[in-house]
Amino acid sequence: MLVGQHLDLASPVPVAVPPAISPQQRTESERYLGVRFDCCGAYSRIYRTRAGDAFVGHCPKCARRVQFKIGPEGTDSRFFCVE
């Protein structure tokens, strides 16, 4: 931090804390997961439930159901393969 003509290396640099994002403010890419269904070699997006506690969807060819629960021990990954 530069104060006048002196460089102050002892003071911490202020860090802006981003505000919490409500589900309504999420970007489109945060509302779905990309899933490759190895059962049929198909790709589909699956979307968050209205309750906001999971992502649920089906294989577009065989209708196999998949569910990814949302929790604090989860992952930041947005794309998955399901066997």
Side-chain angles (χ1 to χ4, degrees):
M1 185 163 154
L2 190 60
V3 179
Q5 297 295 325
H6 303 283
L7 180 61
D8 180 6
L9 296 177
S11 298
V13 177
V15 177
V17 177
I21 299 173
S22 71
Q24 294 79 18
Q25 294 173 320
R26 294 188 187 279
T27 64
E28 180 62 26
S29 66
E30 293 175 316
R31 294 182 185 165
Y32 67 87
L33 298 178
V35 179
R36 175 167 169 76
F37 293 89
D38 289 340
C39 54
C40 297
Y43 168 84
S44 181
R45 289 181 176 180
I46 64 169
Y47 292 87
R48 183 185 301 255
T49 61
R50 286 187 180 167
D53 59 349
F55 288 89
V56 177
H58 298 85
C59 173
K61 292 187 178 180
C62 71
R64 178 180 174 200
R65 184 178 190 272
V66 294
Q67 177 176 346
F68 296 87
K69 292 184 179 181
I70 299 171
E73 66 281 348
T75 179
D76 291 335
S77 295
R78 308 296 309 156
F79 295 94
F80 299 90
C81 288
V82 177
E83 294 181 354

